[in-house]
Amino acid sequence: MGNMTKEEIRVELLKILGETSVDFQAILSLSNELMKHDDSNVRFSVDAGIINRLGKELVSKGETAISELIKNAYDAEASYVHLVFKNAYNSHGVLLIEDDGLGMSRDELINGFMRLSSSDKIHNPITPNYKRVKAGKKGIGRFATQRLGNRLTIITQCIDSEYAIKTVINWSDFEVDQNLNEIASRIEYVKKERDRGTTLIIENLQDAWSDAAVKRAYKYTENLLQPEPLSKERQDWENERNDPGFKASFYREFVSSETLIIDEDIAFYNHALATIEGFIDDNGYGYWRSSSSKLEISTPEYRRIGGVRDNNDVPFKNVHNIHFKTYYFIYDTALIPKTLFSYIKNLGNELGGIKLYRNGFRVPPYGEGANDWIGFDESVRRRTYIFPHQNQSFFGFVEIDAKASDLFEETSSREGLIENEAYQELTDFVYRAVITACLEIAGLRERKQTANQKNWDRRPSEKVSEALSELAELADENSENDFEQEKEYDKQKFKRVYEKLSEGYAEEQEEKKRLVDEVNMLRIFAGLGLVIGEFIHEIKNYLPGFDAEIKYLQKLLSENPNALDRVRILDKNIKSFTSYTSYFDKAISRNVQRDTEPINVKERIHAFCETIDNNRRKAHIELSTNLEDDDVFLMDLTTVPMHPSEWASILFNLYTNAKKAIKKDASCTAGKINISCGESGSNVFVEFSDNGIGVDPLIQDKIFEAFVTTTSVASKNSDDAEIYTGTGLGLKIVRDIITSYNGKVFLKPAIDGFKTTFRIEIPKKNVI
């Protein structure tokens, strides 16, 4: 054909066109040949060998090829795609890819899949029904199939078609020195397999696909996991477009739960320790909650978190209509199966973080790589909180819906948002809500381990000691027995002892870490105590001067009633301040000598009540005691010898907790505190009650443990003084003081008119 003249080609074309059965392949070949005789124009032509070159150059890895085919299913509005690897542990196997997407008509197959560099994704970047942003690269999908195997069968059907379209493409047909458009693949019209969707059958696979390789391929699809709609506005929008979501699942041989290799749940979501979510409503009020099947926490009601730390009824000023959800991971082999541990941890390192979506669209660079927009990594570096909470510990997203969209402005480069007040409040809310949940989870996780782990009630050192004893016994046995005869039996015993040693060692290290963190925190508080002592010592030098100046001002302003009233207020405030310094001065100075003495509880409570009188009045708290009751007044409520300052610590910790609880209860119109004392058998008791918000049932069993607190966490940029306030050590200190004297402290059913009652019992003087 290459030696035909222009006239010969024209005659041959006319002959073919005149026949009843048109030979399209011959017409195409003759037309290509005829164009070579065009002396006025030149045209690009494409050699068929480009398929092989593009397949290797555009898709270098099998994992990339598979991810592109999954993206095509996503772009076709599929709700699922199943990938089935048949006889694929070695090369030459088969890969079947099936989705329930829109499918392709004949025109879409010809002008889409079969057209190189299709412009469809340029003209139509959003899918028609579900409004998905198309993920596939332009024209890569067909080369992906060529990269994977030598033969491709396509079976596709649309919802309104009566039949399915089937075509087979043999990539080996695309040899060099042939025109690409002259290589044809026959179309068949066959019975539909389902209402809509596409099936790709890729045969004679070039690579072997182990489970590890399949899991690597899955990793490439993670960016297709859609954030579920959280805001009502977006839920309504999602319902309107009816997007069912998208899930890719990988199987071996056939589709079955038993043959499932990996999907998003197996990949990592099922191995999250907990789920944390929250939102700021239309009025600026913040809420959060957490749930964990591993810790047996059912999803509770949302709990309020305030725009300021210690008042949950204060709304956020600059932001509203914000939602977030994240999966929380702790990378510990005790929590994640060993077979998946490396994969999940690596996935966390690569893809972990909380991403940001605005009006349904992803906003880079938030949640990518080293981006620490919320401040988790910085918090870890500061060691403010001791539990794992780096960015890699979270897989989640923040959603800004249309109502809040105007609060945030894009940078001029459109990479990220301007860090205005709304942005700062957004990051502050997410950080505080997530850390508050993680604090609670840390305490609950310790209780969970106590309940379910073997021999957890024994100290780790006891486990190690027991295991070493068993090893010694095994050594004695083996010196007496025939090792070959006892080989299997001893192997099992050694295995059990090894596991016990490993478990005990791990627990001992965890306990050591907890104690180190606790000691470090207590060291900080001890240092603060010394600073307070120095401060009180220095401030005493100024008090006489304050008193003299106030008397002078009173005399000077005796003819000015308004000014004199202000001086009286100043005098009252300074006297309140003086009572505090005097109270702590006595407690600290007497404790410096480290002398212990029997403590009269009534005297301590009376002095304490006088000290806090102005403070509690300012906070509108009514204080009642039973100190004036005759039966109590006549009792000698004296404890075993203690340090005088210890009762200051006990009473002030209970008081500050009560104040916070009262402030947090929006329904509490008038705060009340009641302090009662008495004797019970050989003990002196004190009961401290308040009518605040009460103790959350989730932490009642942990309330006296270190770092368990009802105070929400400080902002990420807070200084150490604010961070360490409300860290959850106050009640632990109270418990440690009391138990050191063989006493006890516990929550008891609240007395009438109150929500919380702490009861302290300490042995009476001369009682051993």
Side-chain angles (χ1 to χ4, degrees):
M1 184 178 294
N3 297 321
M4 294 178 67
T5 63
K6 184 192 302 184
E7 184 61 26
E8 289 173 336
I9 295 172
R10 188 181 70 82
V11 171
E12 188 65 23
L13 276 172
L14 290 173
K15 177 182 176 183
I16 294 173
L17 290 172
E19 296 177 354
T20 304
S21 178
V22 179
D23 187 343
F24 292 100
Q25 187 68 35
I27 292 174
L28 183 60
S29 298
L30 288 168
S31 298
N32 287 333
E33 197 65 25
L34 182 62
M35 285 188 291
K36 295 178 182 178
H37 294 279
D38 185 353
D39 296 330
S40 303
N41 301 283
V42 293
R43 296 170 178 83
F44 283 108
S45 60
V46 182
D47 189 282
I50 194 174
I51 294 293
N52 185 52
R53 289 195 294 274
L54 288 177
K56 290 180 178 178
E57 293 172 9
L58 292 179
V59 192
S60 59
K61 295 181 179 180
E63 293 91 338
T64 306
I66 285 180
S67 70
E68 287 301 322
L69 296 174
I70 293 174
K71 289 176 183 178
N72 283 353
Y74 174 84
D75 294 344
E77 301 196 335
S79 66
Y80 71 83
V81 59
H82 293 159
L83 295 93
V84 184
F85 292 82
K86 299 184 176 184
N87 194 28
Y89 282 113
N90 299 305
S91 58
H92 308 303
V94 175
L95 171 59
L96 183 145
I97 304 175
E98 179 181 281
D99 68 57
D100 65 341
L102 295 174
M104 292 180 284
S105 65
R106 180 179 179 278
D107 288 344
E108 288 169 333
L109 177 65
I110 293 172
N111 298 315
F113 189 89
M114 299 301 295
R115 181 178 177 83
L116 299 189
S117 190
S118 169
S119 62
D120 176 67
K121 289 174 183 175
I122 298 175
H123 298 306
N124 302 296
I126 307 296
T127 64
N129 301 313
Y130 299 162
K131 310 302 179 187
R132 294 177 180 173
V133 179
K134 291 182 179 179
K137 295 180 181 178
K138 303 172 183 63
I140 300 298
R142 71 216 57 168
F143 300 118
T145 63
Q146 190 270 346
R147 165 64 182 80
L148 291 169
N150 293 334
R151 175 184 168 97
L152 169 66
T153 300
I154 303 172
I155 304 172
T156 185
Q157 52 261 304
C158 301
I159 191 72
D160 54 356
S161 64
E162 297 180 1
Y163 46 79
I165 300 172
K166 177 180 179 181
T167 187
V168 178
I169 300 173
N170 288 299
W171 296 114
S172 58
D173 293 341
F174 295 82
E175 299 176 353
V176 295
D177 297 330
Q178 296 187 68
N179 282 322
L180 180 64
N181 63 353
E182 293 183 21
I183 301 174
S185 298
R186 178 173 294 278
I187 288 180
E188 299 179 58
Y189 300 98
V190 298
K191 184 178 179 180
K192 293 177 72 171
E193 297 180 339
R194 51 193 183 281
D195 288 339
R196 70 177 207 177
T198 299
T199 300
L200 304 179
I201 304 171
I202 304 170
E203 299 174 84
N204 197 15
L205 295 176
Q206 295 185 29
D207 301 317
W209 286 91
S210 64
D211 286 357
V214 171
K215 290 173 182 177
R216 285 197 301 271
Y218 175 84
K219 181 182 65 174
Y220 283 75
T221 72
E222 286 305 303
N223 287 331
L224 296 182
L225 298 178
Q226 298 169 274
E228 59 195 87
L230 299 180
S231 65
K232 184 178 185 304
E233 181 182 69
R234 190 162 161 245
Q235 285 175 356
D236 293 341
W237 182 65
E238 294 280 11
N239 290 336
E240 181 179 336
R241 69 188 184 125
N242 295 317
D243 190 344
F246 179 74
K247 184 172 184 177
S249 304
F250 293 67
Y251 300 87
R252 186 73 67 184
E253 306 307 333
F254 53 87
V255 176
S256 166
S257 58
E258 288 78 20
T259 62
L260 180 63
I261 304 171
I262 194 167
D263 62 8
E264 64 188 49
D265 292 330
I266 290 179
F268 51 89
Y269 288 142
N270 282 350
H271 306 290
L273 180 61
T275 303
I276 305 168
E277 50 194 322
F279 65 92
I280 300 178
D281 65 15
D282 291 344
N283 300 313
Y285 290 103
Y287 299 87
W288 70 276
R289 68 180 179 185
S290 62
S291 60
S292 171
S293 59
K294 292 187 176 183
L295 300 180
E296 297 179 356
I297 309 174
S298 58
T299 303
E301 295 297 321
Y302 279 101
R303 286 177 273 180
R304 183 79 66 86
I305 184 169
V308 296
R309 186 183 180 192
D310 288 324
N311 193 337
N312 290 332
D313 295 320
V314 175
F316 289 83
K317 294 180 180 179
N318 302 296
V319 69
H320 53 77
N321 296 104
I322 298 298
H323 298 74
F324 80 86
K325 181 174 183 179
T326 184
Y327 294 90
Y328 176 42
F329 288 81
I330 291 181
Y331 299 108
D332 187 328
T333 52
L335 300 171
I336 299 172
K338 293 181 180 179
T339 54
L340 292 173
F341 180 79
S342 296
Y343 169 73
I344 292 174
K345 187 174 183 180
N346 291 337
L347 204 61
N349 290 335
E350 293 181 26
L351 300 174
I354 294 182
K355 297 172 174 59
L356 180 64
Y357 288 79
R358 185 183 184 196
N359 296 328
F361 294 93
R362 172 83 183 281
V363 182
Y366 303 113
E368 297 177 356
N371 181 268
D372 188 33
W373 70 292
I374 296 176
F376 293 131
D377 286 346
E378 175 62 23
S379 178
V380 170
R381 286 191 290 270
R382 291 176 66 180
R383 288 194 59 77
T384 303
Y385 303 105
I386 61 173
F387 48 82
H389 61 283
Q390 64 271 29
N391 278 310
Q392 288 85 353
S393 290
F394 303 100
F395 282 86
F397 64 96
V398 174
E399 177 188 299
I400 302 174
D401 70 20
K403 290 181 181 179
S405 186
D406 293 341
L407 300 172
F408 301 89
E409 302 175 36
E410 291 181 342
T411 61
S412 57
S413 64
R414 297 189 177 275
E415 279 291 315
L417 304 175
I418 295 174
E419 296 186 9
N420 58 14
E421 291 179 338
Y423 175 88
Q424 296 294 343
E425 276 199 348
L426 167 64
T427 59
D428 183 58
F429 163 67
V430 177
Y431 174 84
R432 290 175 55 220
V434 170
I435 296 298
T436 299
C438 289
L439 273 168
E440 180 179 88
I441 290 165
L444 292 172
R445 179 182 171 224
E446 188 175 65
R447 185 178 68 174
K448 170 69 173 180
Q449 290 174 328
T450 302
N452 290 326
Q453 291 188 8
K454 182 180 178 182
N455 295 328
W456 184 262
D457 56 325
R458 290 181 289 165
R459 296 186 63 80
S461 58
E462 294 175 358
K463 291 184 177 180
V464 174
S465 177
E466 181 182 294
L468 289 172
S469 297
E470 291 187 24
L471 275 176
E473 291 176 8
L474 279 171
D476 291 339
E477 290 175 6
N478 284 328
S479 65
E480 299 173 0
N481 297 334
D482 183 344
F483 186 75
E484 290 301 323
Q485 293 178 359
E486 302 292 336
K487 184 176 180 180
E488 186 59 33
Y489 172 74
D490 287 344
K491 181 179 178 182
Q492 296 302 319
K493 290 190 70 175
F494 271 113
K495 183 178 180 182
R496 286 197 301 272
V497 173
Y498 172 77
E499 289 174 351
K500 189 177 294 184
L501 274 171
S502 298
E503 182 181 330
Y505 178 77
E507 291 171 9
E508 196 164 48
Q509 292 302 304
E510 185 171 343
E511 178 72 6
K512 178 181 177 181
K513 182 178 181 298
R514 186 189 67 79
L515 290 173
V516 167
D517 289 324
E518 184 178 323
V519 168
N520 287 339
M521 187 72 78
L522 292 174
R523 186 179 295 116
I524 291 169
F525 286 141
L528 288 173
L530 293 174
V531 172
I532 291 170
E534 290 293 329
F535 170 77
I536 291 172
H537 177 75
E538 292 297 322
I539 207 68
K540 284 164 56 181
N541 296 325
Y542 293 92
L543 295 179
F546 290 159
D547 187 55
E549 294 299 324
I550 286 174
K551 288 179 179 178
Y552 174 75
L553 287 172
Q554 287 174 334
K555 182 178 179 180
L556 184 67
L557 301 171
S558 59
E559 302 299 327
N560 188 335
N562 290 333
L564 195 58
D565 285 341
R566 303 302 300 176
V567 174
R568 289 194 184 100
I569 293 172
L570 176 62
D571 185 37
K572 183 179 179 181
N573 287 337
I574 288 180
K575 281 185 169 57
S576 176
F577 174 72
T578 302
S579 69
Y580 265 97
T581 57
S582 176
Y583 184 84
F584 283 107
D585 181 42
K586 290 178 183 178
I588 292 173
S589 62
R590 295 178 68 182
N591 207 46
V592 169
Q593 285 90 36
R594 304 185 184 278
D595 293 331
T596 61
E597 62 186 55
I599 301 297
N600 187 305
V601 170
K602 290 182 293 185
E603 292 179 359
R604 289 294 156 190
I605 294 175
H606 180 74
F608 170 75
C609 292
E610 285 188 337
T611 302
I612 67 167
D613 189 59
N614 285 333
N615 183 274
R616 61 94 181 168
R617 289 178 188 275
K618 189 174 181 180
H620 307 291
I621 295 174
E622 176 187 336
L623 176 63
S624 59
T625 71
N626 70 339
L627 292 178
E628 300 304 321
D629 294 354
D630 288 341
D631 57 341
V632 173
F633 185 75
L634 295 172
M635 289 179 184
D636 180 19
L637 301 181
T638 305
T639 71
V640 294
M642 302 175 65
H643 292 289
S645 65
E646 290 176 320
W647 272 97
S649 179
I650 291 169
L651 294 172
F652 264 94
N653 270 308
L654 294 175
Y655 173 62
T656 53
N657 282 348
K659 276 181 62 179
K660 291 175 185 176
I662 291 168
K663 189 176 181 181
K664 288 178 180 179
D665 189 354
S667 64
C668 183
T669 56
K672 294 192 301 181
I673 289 176
N674 178 268
I675 307 175
S676 300
C677 58
E679 63 181 10
S680 175
S682 60
N683 290 321
V684 173
F685 74 81
V686 176
E687 291 188 352
F688 199 109
S689 304
D690 69 74
N691 68 335
I693 199 169
V695 180
D696 190 332
L698 284 173
I699 62 171
Q700 278 187 358
D701 295 341
K702 314 288 285 183
I703 195 71
F704 295 104
E705 296 186 10
F707 311 116
V708 176
T709 179
T710 57
T711 300
S712 63
V713 300
S715 299
K716 60 182 178 180
N717 297 320
S718 300
D719 58 27
D720 288 350
E722 184 178 357
I723 288 169
Y724 293 135
T725 301
T727 50
L729 279 174
L731 287 177
K732 184 200 181 297
I733 292 171
V734 170
R735 184 197 64 182
D736 288 349
I737 291 171
I738 293 167
T739 56
S740 69
Y741 295 102
N742 296 319
K744 57 185 177 180
V745 57
F746 53 91
L747 275 172
K748 60 166 283 187
I751 63 176
D752 290 343
F754 295 85
K755 292 185 180 177
T756 303
T757 297
F758 288 94
R759 182 179 173 95
I760 296 169
E761 296 180 358
I762 289 189
K764 291 168 62 176
K765 180 179 64 173
N766 297 327
V767 175
I768 299 177

